[in-house]
Amino acid sequence: MVKYGRIRFDASFAALSDATRRGVLEHLGRADASITDLAEKFHMTLTGMKKHVGVLEQAGLVTTEKVGRVRTCKLGLRRLEEEAAWIERYNQLWDARFDELDKVIEELKQKEKVDGRRN
């Protein structure tokens, strides 16, 4: 993976690591909102919400537009396809490991049955 990809992953996962930012993304998935509206919804100060939105914006997950005194937030164009693929590779790895563990357990159960019959 090129350096740019790692930086982008770091930004994405850093943005998604916070429950408030995940909540903001969920909210913006339903409707655009001003920073003031988001701050009220999440019981935060404007400054705190601006920081959260800034992190999401840096990751490309949110865009903002200022009209007059109101800054409106929208979902960004960037989707998390590469991050989802990365996570899916780990899911497949763990699924394969659990499948192997299931085989070992099944073999042990069969051996236990056979040994139990011998006693």
Side-chain angles (χ1 to χ4, degrees):
M1 182 184 308
V2 294
K3 187 175 182 181
Y4 173 75
R6 281 189 297 240
I7 292 169
R8 212 165 95 169
F9 271 32
D10 290 348
S12 298
F13 287 120
L16 296 172
S17 70
D18 183 85
T20 298
R21 291 191 288 267
R22 290 189 306 270
V24 167
L25 288 175
E26 287 179 31
H27 182 82
L28 295 177
R30 292 187 296 275
D32 298 350
S34 70
I35 289 183
T36 303
D37 292 340
L38 292 171
E40 288 174 5
K41 177 175 177 30
F42 290 93
H43 311 288
M44 299 185 83
T45 64
L46 282 172
T47 303
M49 184 52 70
K50 284 179 188 175
K51 288 179 181 180
H52 281 298
V53 168
V55 171
L56 291 166
E57 209 168 9
Q58 273 189 313
L61 301 174
V62 167
T63 61
T64 62
E65 179 182 7
K66 189 171 184 179
V67 178
R69 297 181 65 175
V70 177
R71 182 168 294 279
T72 301
C73 304
K74 304 176 184 195
L75 280 182
L77 297 176
R78 187 156 127 33
R79 298 171 53 155
L80 296 170
E81 292 167 336
E82 291 176 27
E83 291 82 352
W86 185 84
I87 290 169
E88 182 56 31
R89 283 193 299 274
Y90 276 91
N91 280 338
Q92 291 172 0
L93 172 77
W94 282 105
D95 285 346
R97 287 181 176 185
F98 283 124
D99 289 346
E100 289 300 314
L101 181 60
D102 286 343
K103 288 178 189 175
V104 169
I105 291 171
E106 192 57 40
E107 288 172 8
L108 290 172
K109 285 181 180 178
Q110 291 301 324
K111 186 175 187 239
E112 200 173 69
K113 283 182 184 177
V114 169
D115 289 347
R117 289 183 197 149
R118 288 184 189 160
N119 290 336

